[in-house]
């Protein structure tokens, strides 16, 4: 097989030329005397085997190597990124053995970026990049090359694919995912305790050179922390770091490419590291003595003061618990979970007058302990608390609360019931007065002495009305009425045997006419409102001489009424009244007699009642018929007496209406509506005065309007006016004797004059010509009763004459 050497490069790219062969292969080499150019951009040398493959030669036992039909060959192109030159960046050259240099061959390029990013010279086959390329955007481009006949566009070489790979340069610095990281590590951690791992990334090629090989270092945070140069893990570097001394640390980590060599690019990030708390500090009182002041009126459970211990730890490690050493019967201390303070509270009421100063010891300790730090440390502390009680003006205090007093019923008014007592608990011991809240004693049954508190009765008590009386007694300081205290007083009324037993119910008892002797007809029982201590025991009895009935006491507060004979008859006696005496066994013995009414009825053979005589009412249900008749007669007689008395008073002569001659009064009657002149018969009819003969025949009701008016015309009165005088005199006498007539004259005033009026015009009593000649002097002779009338008409006559 021929061997070839002397590989040369030109134009920055290695171009190999086959120009030296051994002597025994001179003829074979001459057949490849044609120049074949292989273009590549790598610095990797071709081996003789590669050269042989490129030219299609193979070793074969002395056989002549034949060139393959393909006339051009190449490997992938390599191009540096981020080219900074002004001209287009040269990529490489395509050349085919079909190119004779006469310009008839045309090179065509297609694929990624062909025509825009990559350009090819159609004649020479030179490829150039038109823009600066970035490997981080795209690391390799795939293109296709063709060789065509320029004149016929016939394909001289088939389409062949090749790649242009972008060579990386170190143009990207390392970058961390975040600008700042947050981490924590427990305080007092051992050296080398891992805190957090931070890593950076480099966009440069990881497989080529050291452009993406990173090394980590710490720029800030020493000597407290360190960082692993390969993986970026931050660790503690100083023992005994105390959160209470310093809690937060800022650590700056740097990542550098090119394996940390000079010229490498760097990126940094900040890590904020916080020391988390552990319970390594016990609670401590800043002051081991506390003084607290409490008023004696503080209620039980009320707070009188706070104490606090300091613990530099936080969270659960700072939680504390307070307690009183040995306990205390008056005070207690509880922990406020929010403020971690000890709150001192009252367990028992304070009394300034009995004890004014207290002292006790308080212990504080952590509720959570860390076993790593309890050795050699006491996680508790102690303090002394002194309490001083202050005096306040307290209300009176009763010796008992409540009071329960017993009193017998029927106790007379003013009787003693009981005594209540209160005192001023203050040192001054001011006087106290007593009173009863009348809202609790509305019936005013009790009274209390305001000085000594003695309760007495104002009325007699009845246990059967009320067994208990609950009143409130108020004690008030005389010098300070605002200081009051109330106490309930329960008064129990004790029973006295003051009520007799009586029938438990109303009995409807009957006996059959055909009854036999010794037959039970009724079982009776009794009740008693009293309540003896040993219970009720009633004794029943009737007159032993009763020939009809007897009684059998059953010894259980009931008794049987039994017939003593048979053969009762309704005709002889339809009803029997049986007095029954009921007695109790209490002291004093009370007894009453109740009447049992037994009706006689007709019964069948089996004793069932069929009919009874209903004529006589039972004594227990009401009055008898005779009594009712007597009452009715009495009522009738009384009514007759009343009517007779009224009639006599009406007939009795009355005194004159007007006693004094000077007592003359007028009455003016006003109407709220307009009348019809003299046609209005509701008032005084002057026509009657002039026509007395029609008065009796034409009496009209004054309270209604008449259905018709009598069509008569008044005639002028006679000269001497005898009819008017007689009429007025008669009416005067009637009114004087009438007890219901008013003691004064009446003048009716009309608001309307009309042609329909009998008087025609009411401007005067006589508006006609004859009235102008009327002489009214006679009116002055009628007496003082007509004085006013005489003045009116005589005065008018004088005016007309003048």
């Amino acid at each position: 097989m021929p061997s070839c050497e002397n590989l040369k490069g030109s134009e920055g790219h290695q171009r190999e030329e086959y120009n030296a062969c051994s002597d025994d292969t001179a003829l074979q080499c001459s057949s490849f005397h044609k120049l074949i150019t292989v273009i590549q951009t790598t610095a990797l040398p071709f081996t003789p085997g590669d050269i042989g493959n490129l030219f299609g030669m193979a070793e074969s036992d002395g056989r002549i190597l034949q060139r393959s039909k393909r006339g051009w060959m190449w490997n992938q192109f390599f191009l540096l990124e981020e080219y900074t030159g002004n001209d287009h960046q040269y990529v490489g050259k395509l050349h085919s053995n079909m190119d004779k240099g006469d310009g008839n061959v045309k090179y065509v390029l297609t694929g990624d970026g062909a025509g825009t990013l990559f350009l090819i010279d159609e004649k020479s086959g030179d490829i150039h990049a038109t823009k600066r390329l970035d490997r981080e955007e795209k690391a390799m481009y795939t293109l296709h090359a063709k060789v065509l006949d320029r004149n016929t566009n016939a394909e001289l070489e088939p389409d062949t694919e090749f790649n242009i790979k972008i060579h990386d340069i170190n143009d990207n610095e390392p970058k961390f995912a975040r600008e700042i990281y947050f981490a924590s590590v427990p305080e007092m951690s051992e050296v080398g305790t891992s805190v957090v791992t931070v890593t950076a990334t480099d966009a440069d090629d990881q497989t080529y050179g050291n452009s993406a090989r990173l090394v980590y270092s710490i720029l800030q945070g020493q000597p407290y922390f360190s960082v692993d140069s390969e993986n970026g893990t931050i660790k503690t570097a100083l023992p005994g770091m105390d959160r209470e001394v310093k809690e937060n640390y800022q650590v700056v980590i740097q990542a550098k490419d090119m394996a940390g060599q000079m010229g490498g690019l760097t990126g940094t990030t900040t890590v904020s590291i916080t020391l988390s708390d552990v319970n390594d500090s016990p609670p401590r009182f800043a002051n081991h003595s506390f003084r607290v002041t409490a008023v004696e009126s503080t209620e039980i459970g009320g707070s009188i003061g706070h104490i606090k211990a300091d613990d530099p730890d936080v969270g659960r490690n700072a939680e504390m618990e307070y307690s009183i050493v040995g306990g205390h019967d008056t005070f207690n201390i509880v922990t406020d979970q929010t403020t971690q303070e000890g709150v001192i509270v009252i367990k028992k009421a304070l009394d300034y007058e009995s004890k004014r100063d207290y002292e006790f010891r308080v212990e504080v300790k952590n509720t959570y302990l860390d076993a790593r730090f309890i050795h050699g440390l006491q996680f508790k502390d102690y303090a002394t608390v002194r309490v001083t009680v202050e005096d306040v003006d307290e209300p009176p205090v009763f010796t008992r609360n409540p009071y329960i007093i017993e009193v017998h019923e029927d106790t007379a008014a003013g009787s003693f019931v009981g005594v209540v007592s209160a005192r001023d608990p203050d040192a001054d011991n001011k006087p106290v007065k007593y009173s009863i809240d009348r809202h609790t004693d509305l019936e005013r049954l009790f009274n209390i002495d305001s000085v000594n508190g003695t309760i007495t009765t104002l009325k007699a008590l009845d246990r059967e009305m009320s067994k208990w009386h609950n009143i409130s007694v108020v004690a008030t300081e005389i010098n300070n009425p605002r200081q009051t205290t109330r106490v309930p007083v329960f008064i129990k009324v004790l029973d006295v045997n003051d009520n007799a037993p009586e029938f438990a119910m109303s009995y409807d008892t009957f006996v059959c006419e055909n009854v036999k002797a010794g037959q039970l007809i009724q079982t009776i029982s009794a009740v008693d409102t009293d309540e003896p201590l040993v219970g009720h025991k009633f004794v029943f009895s009737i007159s032993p001489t009763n020939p009809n009935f007897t009684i059998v006491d059953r010894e259980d507060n009931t008794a049987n009424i039994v017939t003593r004979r048979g053969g009762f008859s309704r005709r002889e006696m339809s009803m029997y009244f049986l007095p029954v005496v009921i007695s109790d066994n209490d002291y004093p013995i009370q007894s009453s007699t109740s009447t049992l009414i037994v009706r006689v009825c007709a019964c069948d053979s089996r004793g069932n009642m069929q009919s009874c005589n209903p004529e006589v009412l039972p004594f227990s249900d009401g009055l008898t018929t005779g009594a009712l008749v007597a009452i009715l007669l009495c009522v009738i007689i009384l009514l007759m007496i009343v009517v007779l008395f009224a009639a006599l008073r009406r007939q009795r002569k009355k005194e004159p209406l007007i006693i004094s001659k000077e007592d003359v009064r007028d009455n003016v009657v006003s109407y709220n509506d307009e009348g019809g002149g003299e046609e209005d018969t509701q008032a005084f009819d002057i026509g009657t005065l002039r026509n007395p003969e029609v008065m009796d025949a034409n009496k009209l009701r004054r309270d209604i309007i008449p259905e018709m008016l009598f069509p008569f015309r008044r005639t002028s009165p006679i000269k001497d006016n005898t009819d008017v005088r007689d009429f007025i005199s008669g009416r005067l006498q009637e009114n004087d004797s009438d007890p219901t007539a008013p003691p004064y004259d009446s003048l009716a005033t009309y608001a309307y004059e009309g042609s329909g009026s009998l008087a025609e015009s009411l401007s005067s009593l006589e508006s006609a010509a004859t009235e102008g000649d009327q002489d009214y002097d006679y009116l002055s002779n009628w007496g003082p009763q007509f004085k006013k009338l005489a003045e009116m008409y005589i005065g008018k006559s004088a005016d007309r004459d003048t």
Side-chain angles (χ1 to χ4, degrees), residues 76 86 98 128 147 224 243 260 297 308 333 357 359 391 401 458 472 586 685 715 763 769:
Q76 62 183 355
N86 296 326
M98 303 297 292
H128 291 81
V147 179
Y224 306 104
R243 186 199 65 82
S297 60
K308 192 174 190 310
I333 188 167
D357 297 295
E359 181 177 325
D391 186 27
N401 189 1
L458 291 176
S472 294
D586 205 354
D685 189 358
T715 58
S763 60

Side-chain angles (χ1 to χ4, degrees), residues 690-709:
R690 296 182 175 85
N691 299 278
E693 64 276 5
V694 300
M695 178 187 65
D696 295 332
N698 300 289
K699 290 183 178 180
L700 300 178
R701 292 182 60 182
R702 303 290 181 167
D703 57 340
I704 61 173
I705 299 175
E707 296 181 358
M708 60 174 287
L709 297 175

Side-chain angles (χ1 to χ4, degrees), residues 510-514 570 599-603 609-612:
F510 69 93
V511 60
C512 294
E513 291 180 314
N514 56 358
R570 285 183 293 167
R599 293 182 297 159
V600 179
C601 300
C603 303
M609 182 181 65
Q610 292 181 339
S611 65
C612 297

